[in-house]
Protein backbone atom coordinates (compact mmCIF):
# COMPACT_ATOMS: atom_id res chain seq x y z
CA UNK A 1 0.00 0.00 0.00
CA UNK A 2 2.81 2.41 0.90
CA UNK A 3 4.57 1.66 -2.40
CA UNK A 4 1.36 2.20 -4.40
CA UNK A 5 0.72 5.50 -2.59
CA UNK A 6 4.26 6.72 -3.29
CA UNK A 7 3.94 5.81 -6.98
CA UNK A 8 0.66 7.73 -7.24
CA UNK A 9 1.98 10.81 -5.48
CA UNK A 10 5.36 10.92 -7.25
CA UNK A 11 5.63 14.02 -9.44
CA UNK A 12 7.37 13.50 -12.76
CA UNK A 13 9.71 16.42 -13.46
CA UNK A 14 9.65 17.69 -17.04
CA UNK A 15 12.92 17.35 -18.92
CA UNK A 16 14.43 20.31 -20.76
CA UNK A 17 13.15 20.58 -24.32
CA UNK A 18 15.41 20.16 -27.33
CA UNK A 19 14.81 23.82 -28.21
CA UNK A 20 15.90 24.94 -24.73
CA UNK A 21 19.06 22.81 -24.86
CA UNK A 22 19.88 24.11 -28.35
CA UNK A 23 19.44 27.70 -27.14
CA UNK A 24 21.74 27.09 -24.16
CA UNK A 25 24.33 25.45 -26.41
CA UNK A 26 24.27 28.40 -28.82
CA UNK A 27 24.85 30.97 -26.08
CA UNK A 28 27.49 28.82 -24.35
CA UNK A 29 29.39 28.61 -27.65
CA UNK A 30 28.99 32.35 -28.24
CA UNK A 31 30.18 33.13 -24.69
CA UNK A 32 33.23 30.90 -25.08
CA UNK A 33 33.95 32.60 -28.43
CA UNK A 34 33.96 36.03 -26.73
CA UNK A 35 36.26 34.71 -24.02
CA UNK A 36 38.62 33.20 -26.61
CA UNK A 37 38.74 36.48 -28.58
CA UNK A 38 39.66 38.47 -25.47
CA UNK A 39 42.23 35.85 -24.50
CA UNK A 40 43.90 35.44 -27.90
CA UNK A 41 43.61 38.98 -29.29
CA UNK A 42 44.56 40.95 -26.15
CA UNK A 43 45.75 38.79 -23.26
CA UNK A 44 48.40 36.66 -24.95
CA UNK A 45 49.96 39.43 -27.13
CA UNK A 46 50.27 41.70 -24.05
CA UNK A 47 51.70 38.83 -21.98
CA UNK A 48 49.06 39.25 -19.28
CA UNK A 49 48.58 36.64 -16.56
CA UNK A 50 45.15 36.05 -15.05
CA UNK A 51 43.86 33.43 -12.66
CA UNK A 52 42.57 30.00 -13.53
CA UNK A 53 43.74 27.41 -16.03
CA UNK A 54 43.82 30.07 -18.75
CA UNK A 55 46.37 32.01 -16.69
CA UNK A 56 48.48 28.91 -16.06
CA UNK A 57 48.31 28.06 -19.78
CA UNK A 58 49.41 31.61 -20.63
CA UNK A 59 52.46 31.23 -18.35
CA UNK A 60 53.34 27.92 -20.02
CA UNK A 61 53.03 29.57 -23.44
CA UNK A 62 55.25 32.52 -22.46
CA UNK A 63 57.91 30.18 -21.07
CA UNK A 64 57.86 27.35 -23.63
CA UNK A 65 55.81 28.52 -26.68
CA UNK A 66 53.46 25.54 -26.25
CA UNK A 67 50.11 26.69 -27.76
CA UNK A 68 47.69 27.86 -25.07
CA UNK A 69 44.84 25.73 -26.46
CA UNK A 70 46.89 22.57 -25.92
CA UNK A 71 47.73 23.56 -22.32
CA UNK A 72 44.11 24.45 -21.53
CA UNK A 73 42.95 21.02 -22.72
CA UNK A 74 45.76 19.08 -21.00
CA UNK A 75 45.44 20.87 -17.62
CA UNK A 76 41.65 20.52 -17.55
CA UNK A 77 41.79 16.82 -18.39
CA UNK A 78 44.41 16.31 -15.67
CA UNK A 79 42.24 18.05 -13.07
CA UNK A 80 39.12 16.19 -14.18
CA UNK A 81 40.92 12.87 -13.74
CA UNK A 82 42.20 13.87 -10.27
CA UNK A 83 38.83 15.21 -9.14
CA UNK A 84 36.55 12.69 -10.85
CA UNK A 85 35.33 11.15 -7.61
CA UNK A 86 34.38 14.56 -6.18
CA UNK A 87 32.41 15.80 -9.21
CA UNK A 88 28.80 15.21 -10.10
CA UNK A 89 28.02 13.50 -13.40
CA UNK A 90 26.25 16.59 -14.73
CA UNK A 91 29.17 18.90 -13.87
CA UNK A 92 31.67 16.42 -15.39
CA UNK A 93 29.99 16.20 -18.81
CA UNK A 94 29.11 19.89 -18.89
CA UNK A 95 32.77 20.70 -18.21
CA UNK A 96 34.00 18.27 -20.90
CA UNK A 97 31.84 20.06 -23.51
CA UNK A 98 32.91 23.55 -22.38
CA UNK A 99 36.61 22.68 -22.22
CA UNK A 100 36.49 21.03 -25.66
CA UNK A 101 34.92 24.11 -27.29
CA UNK A 102 37.28 26.50 -25.47
CA UNK A 103 40.41 24.54 -26.40
CA UNK A 104 39.33 24.34 -30.05
CA UNK A 105 38.58 28.07 -30.30
CA UNK A 106 41.85 29.10 -28.63
CA UNK A 107 43.78 26.73 -30.93
CA UNK A 108 42.15 28.38 -33.97
CA UNK A 109 42.14 32.02 -32.84
CA UNK A 110 45.67 32.19 -31.37
CA UNK A 111 47.45 31.70 -34.73
CA UNK A 112 44.76 33.82 -36.47
CA UNK A 113 45.37 36.88 -34.29
CA UNK A 114 49.13 36.28 -34.43
CA UNK A 115 48.86 36.62 -38.23
CA UNK A 116 46.18 39.33 -38.28
CA UNK A 117 46.59 41.34 -35.04
CA UNK A 118 43.88 43.85 -34.15
CA UNK A 119 46.13 45.89 -31.84
CA UNK A 120 49.79 46.72 -31.30
CA UNK A 121 51.19 45.18 -28.07
CA UNK A 122 52.35 47.80 -25.56
CA UNK A 123 50.71 50.68 -27.43
CA UNK A 124 48.10 51.25 -24.71
CA UNK A 125 48.52 48.31 -22.36
CA UNK A 126 46.08 49.45 -19.68
CA UNK A 127 43.29 49.90 -22.24
CA UNK A 128 44.05 46.48 -23.69
CA UNK A 129 43.83 44.96 -20.20
CA UNK A 130 40.38 46.53 -19.72
CA UNK A 131 39.14 45.36 -23.12
CA UNK A 132 40.42 41.83 -22.43
CA UNK A 133 38.74 41.84 -19.01
CA UNK A 134 35.40 42.99 -20.44
CA UNK A 135 35.44 40.44 -23.28
CA UNK A 136 36.49 37.53 -21.06
CA UNK A 137 34.10 38.53 -18.25
CA UNK A 138 31.17 38.95 -20.65
CA UNK A 139 31.93 35.59 -22.23
CA UNK A 140 32.02 33.81 -18.87
CA UNK A 141 28.84 35.60 -17.77
CA UNK A 142 26.97 34.36 -20.84
CA UNK A 143 28.29 30.82 -20.30
CA UNK A 144 27.28 30.77 -16.61
CA UNK A 145 23.85 32.29 -17.39
CA UNK A 146 23.09 29.32 -19.63
CA UNK A 147 24.29 26.59 -17.26
CA UNK A 148 27.66 26.13 -18.96
CA UNK A 149 31.14 25.61 -17.57
CA UNK A 150 34.66 26.14 -18.86
CA UNK A 151 36.25 23.95 -16.20
CA UNK A 152 39.42 25.59 -14.98
CA UNK A 153 39.76 26.42 -11.32
CA UNK A 154 36.11 25.47 -10.71
CA UNK A 155 37.44 21.93 -10.32
CA UNK A 156 40.22 22.87 -7.89
CA UNK A 157 37.77 25.04 -5.98
CA UNK A 158 35.42 22.11 -5.46
CA UNK A 159 38.32 19.96 -4.19
CA UNK A 160 39.55 22.64 -1.76
CA UNK A 161 36.01 23.14 -0.52
CA UNK A 162 35.51 19.40 0.03
CA UNK A 163 38.81 18.48 1.69
CA UNK A 164 39.93 21.72 3.38
CA UNK A 165 36.55 23.28 4.22
CA UNK A 166 37.41 26.48 2.34
CA UNK A 167 34.47 28.49 1.00
CA UNK A 168 34.17 28.63 -2.79
CA UNK A 169 35.02 32.34 -2.85
CA UNK A 170 38.13 31.98 -0.69
CA UNK A 171 39.26 28.86 -2.54
CA UNK A 172 39.00 30.61 -5.91
CA UNK A 173 40.83 33.70 -4.62
CA UNK A 174 43.57 31.46 -3.18
CA UNK A 175 44.14 29.61 -6.48
CA UNK A 176 44.01 32.77 -8.63
CA UNK A 177 46.44 34.65 -6.37
CA UNK A 178 48.98 31.80 -6.60
CA UNK A 179 48.80 31.74 -10.43
CA UNK A 180 49.00 35.54 -10.86
CA UNK A 181 51.81 35.90 -8.30
CA UNK A 182 53.82 33.11 -9.93
CA UNK A 183 54.24 35.35 -13.00
CA UNK A 184 56.95 37.16 -11.01
CA UNK A 185 59.18 34.08 -11.37
CA UNK A 186 59.02 34.44 -15.16
CA UNK A 187 58.92 38.23 -15.67
CA UNK A 188 60.42 39.60 -12.41
CA UNK A 189 57.88 42.43 -12.65
CA UNK A 190 55.33 43.71 -10.14
CA UNK A 191 53.69 45.56 -13.02
CA UNK A 192 52.65 42.26 -14.59
CA UNK A 193 51.03 41.18 -11.30
CA UNK A 194 49.15 44.50 -11.03
CA UNK A 195 47.85 44.17 -14.59
CA UNK A 196 46.75 40.63 -13.79
CA UNK A 197 44.80 41.87 -10.76
CA UNK A 198 43.19 44.68 -12.82
CA UNK A 199 42.19 42.13 -15.48
CA UNK A 200 40.69 39.81 -12.85
CA UNK A 201 38.68 42.61 -11.20
CA UNK A 202 37.39 43.86 -14.56
CA UNK A 203 36.42 40.36 -15.70
CA UNK A 204 34.72 39.58 -12.36
CA UNK A 205 32.66 42.79 -12.34
CA UNK A 206 31.61 42.29 -15.97
CA UNK A 207 30.72 38.65 -15.36
CA UNK A 208 28.62 39.54 -12.30
CA UNK A 209 26.83 42.26 -14.27
CA UNK A 210 25.98 39.87 -17.12
CA UNK A 211 24.75 37.17 -14.71
CA UNK A 212 22.84 39.41 -12.28
CA UNK A 213 22.31 42.67 -14.17
CA UNK A 214 19.27 41.52 -16.12
CA UNK A 215 17.80 39.96 -12.97
CA UNK A 216 17.92 43.10 -10.83
CA UNK A 217 14.54 43.56 -9.27
CA UNK A 218 13.06 45.80 -6.62
CA UNK A 219 10.74 44.88 -3.77
CA UNK A 220 8.44 47.55 -2.38
CA UNK A 221 6.73 47.47 1.01
CA UNK A 222 4.03 50.16 0.99
CA UNK A 223 1.87 51.23 3.94
CA UNK A 224 -0.86 53.72 3.06
CA UNK A 225 -4.45 54.59 3.94
CA UNK A 226 -5.08 54.65 0.19
CA UNK A 227 -3.75 51.15 -0.36
CA UNK A 228 -6.64 50.16 -2.64
CA UNK A 229 -6.02 53.02 -5.07
CA UNK A 230 -2.26 52.36 -5.08
CA UNK A 231 -2.73 48.61 -5.64
CA UNK A 232 -5.18 49.23 -8.52
CA UNK A 233 -2.94 51.72 -10.30
CA UNK A 234 0.13 49.46 -9.98
CA UNK A 235 -1.90 46.58 -11.42
CA UNK A 236 -3.23 48.53 -14.38
CA UNK A 237 -0.43 50.98 -15.23
CA UNK A 238 2.75 49.14 -14.23
CA UNK A 239 1.21 45.71 -14.90
CA UNK A 240 2.68 44.17 -11.77
CA UNK A 241 1.04 42.03 -9.14
CA UNK A 242 0.35 43.32 -5.64
CA UNK A 243 0.07 41.26 -2.46
CA UNK A 244 -1.87 42.70 0.50
CA UNK A 245 -0.73 41.75 4.01
CA UNK A 246 -2.55 42.60 7.23
CA UNK A 247 -0.44 44.43 9.79
CA UNK A 248 -0.72 46.45 12.97
CA UNK A 249 1.09 49.60 13.99
CA UNK A 250 2.49 48.94 17.46
CA UNK A 251 2.60 52.57 18.56
CA UNK A 252 -0.87 53.51 17.31
CA UNK A 253 -2.34 50.01 17.76
CA UNK A 254 -4.20 50.60 14.47
CA UNK A 255 -4.71 47.92 11.83
CA UNK A 256 -2.91 48.66 8.56
CA UNK A 257 -2.69 47.15 5.10
CA UNK A 258 0.79 46.58 3.70
CA UNK A 259 1.34 46.15 -0.04
CA UNK A 260 4.18 43.96 -1.35
CA UNK A 261 5.18 44.71 -4.94
CA UNK A 262 7.97 43.17 -7.05
CA UNK A 263 9.11 45.04 -10.16
CA UNK A 264 12.06 45.29 -12.47
CA UNK A 265 14.61 47.94 -11.52
CA UNK A 266 13.71 50.12 -14.50
CA UNK A 267 10.03 50.13 -13.41
CA UNK A 268 10.75 51.35 -9.87
CA UNK A 269 10.57 55.07 -10.69
CA UNK A 270 7.11 54.60 -12.22
CA UNK A 271 5.95 53.01 -8.95
CA UNK A 272 7.36 55.93 -6.92
CA UNK A 273 5.65 58.46 -9.18
CA UNK A 274 2.27 56.73 -8.90
CA UNK A 275 2.51 56.44 -5.10
CA UNK A 276 3.43 60.13 -4.87
CA UNK A 277 0.42 61.10 -7.00
CA UNK A 278 -2.03 59.14 -4.82
CA UNK A 279 -0.56 59.44 -1.31
CA UNK A 280 2.59 61.55 -0.80
CA UNK A 281 2.55 60.57 2.89
CA UNK A 282 2.71 56.82 2.23
CA UNK A 283 5.45 54.86 4.00
CA UNK A 284 7.55 53.14 1.33
CA UNK A 285 10.46 50.74 1.76
CA UNK A 286 12.55 49.76 -1.28
CA UNK A 287 14.86 46.73 -1.35
CA UNK A 288 17.03 45.56 -4.25
CA UNK A 289 16.94 41.84 -5.07
CA UNK A 290 19.50 39.89 -7.10
CA UNK A 291 16.77 37.91 -8.79
CA UNK A 292 13.09 37.01 -8.70
CA UNK A 293 11.90 33.84 -10.36
CA UNK A 294 8.39 32.98 -11.44
CA UNK A 295 5.61 34.36 -13.62
CA UNK A 296 6.52 37.76 -15.07
CA UNK A 297 10.18 37.44 -14.08
CA UNK A 298 12.97 34.92 -14.74
CA UNK A 299 12.51 31.21 -15.22
CA UNK A 300 14.16 28.85 -12.76
CA UNK A 301 16.94 26.97 -14.60
Amino acid sequence: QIKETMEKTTVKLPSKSLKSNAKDMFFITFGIFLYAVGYCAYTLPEKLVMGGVAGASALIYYATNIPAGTSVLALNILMLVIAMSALTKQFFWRTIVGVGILSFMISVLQPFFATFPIMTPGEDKFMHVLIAGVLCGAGLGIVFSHNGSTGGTDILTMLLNKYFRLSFGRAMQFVDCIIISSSYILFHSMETIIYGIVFTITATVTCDYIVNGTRQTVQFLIISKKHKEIADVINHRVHRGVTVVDGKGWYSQNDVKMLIVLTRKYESQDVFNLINEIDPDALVSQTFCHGVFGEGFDKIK
Side-chain angles (χ1 to χ4, degrees):
Q1 278 187 329
I2 295 174
K3 186 176 180 181
E4 289 177 0
T5 304
M6 289 178 66
E7 288 175 351
K8 288 179 182 178
T9 56
T10 299
V11 178
K12 187 177 180 180
L13 295 175
S15 59
K16 290 185 73 174
S17 66
L18 183 63
K19 183 179 178 181
S20 178
N21 281 320
K23 179 183 174 183
D24 281 345
M25 201 64 226
F26 170 80
F27 280 105
I28 288 170
T29 304
F30 177 67
I32 291 174
F33 172 75
L34 281 183
Y35 183 91
V37 168
Y39 185 70
C40 296
Y42 292 94
T43 302
L44 295 180
E46 287 289 10
K47 294 190 175 180
L48 299 176
V49 180
M50 74 286 282
V53 165
S57 298
L59 280 174
I60 293 171
Y61 168 67
Y62 303 147
T64 65
N65 275 333
I66 294 175
T70 304
S71 300
V72 167
L73 183 61
L75 290 175
N76 273 294
I77 289 175
L78 177 63
M79 286 192 294
L80 281 170
V81 171
I82 294 172
M84 191 176 293
S85 61
L87 304 178
T88 63
K89 186 177 179 181
Q90 181 183 9
F91 180 85
F92 179 83
W93 289 112
R94 188 177 63 184
T95 303
I96 286 288
V97 172
V99 168
I101 297 173
L102 179 61
S103 301
F104 171 76
M105 287 191 174
I106 291 176
S107 297
V108 171
L109 292 177
Q110 186 180 357
F112 175 81
F113 285 116
T115 307
F116 305 101
I118 59 176
M119 61 88 181
T120 303
E123 186 178 42
D124 192 346
K125 189 166 185 175
F126 186 74
M127 182 59 67
H128 295 162
V129 171
L130 295 181
I131 294 172
V134 169
L135 285 173
C136 292
L140 288 176
I142 293 170
V143 171
F144 296 153
S145 296
H146 291 273
N147 305 310
S149 171
T150 57
T153 51
D154 292 353
I155 303 168
L156 284 180
T157 300
M158 291 186 72
L159 285 175
L160 289 171
N161 175 260
K162 180 176 181 180
Y163 294 110
F164 296 97
R165 303 296 181 183
L166 284 175
S167 68
F168 283 100
R170 287 186 180 276
M172 188 165 288
Q173 289 172 4
F174 176 73
V175 174
D176 288 348
C177 283
I178 288 177
I179 294 172
I180 294 173
S181 299
S182 64
S183 66
Y184 189 83
I185 300 172
L186 186 62
F187 297 109
H188 302 288
S189 170
M190 286 300 298
E191 183 182 9
T192 303
I193 296 176
I194 298 301
Y195 278 130
I197 294 171
V198 171
F199 171 90
T200 302
I201 292 172
T202 305
T204 301
V205 170
T206 305
C207 181
D208 286 344
Y209 180 79
I210 295 294
V211 173
N212 296 317
T214 57
R215 294 178 180 171
Q216 283 189 352
T217 50
V218 177
Q219 177 180 273
F220 288 95
L221 299 179
I222 307 164
I223 299 176
S224 170
K225 294 178 180 178
K226 299 181 180 179
H227 61 275
K228 291 183 179 179
E229 294 93 326
I230 293 174
D232 286 339
V233 79
I234 290 174
N235 273 165
H236 295 106
R237 289 175 62 177
V238 186
H239 304 293
R240 286 298 180 187
V242 180
T243 301
V244 183
V245 178
D246 291 323
K248 188 171 187 176
W250 192 250
Y251 179 77
S252 65
Q253 294 296 307
N254 293 330
D255 292 331
V256 295
K257 297 290 185 181
M258 182 167 63
L259 307 181
I260 301 176
V261 182
L262 292 167
T263 71
R264 293 292 189 186
K265 185 180 178 181
Y266 61 81
E267 298 170 322
S268 60
Q269 192 56 49
D270 292 336
V271 174
F272 274 119
N273 292 338
L274 293 172
I275 295 172
N276 189 50
E277 287 177 13
I278 298 170
D279 184 7
D281 297 322
L283 180 65
V284 182
S285 169
Q286 180 190 43
T287 306
F288 287 96
C289 310
H290 282 296
V292 174
F293 302 90
E295 187 176 353
F297 293 93
D298 298 312
K299 290 183 178 179
I300 299 175
K301 293 186 178 182

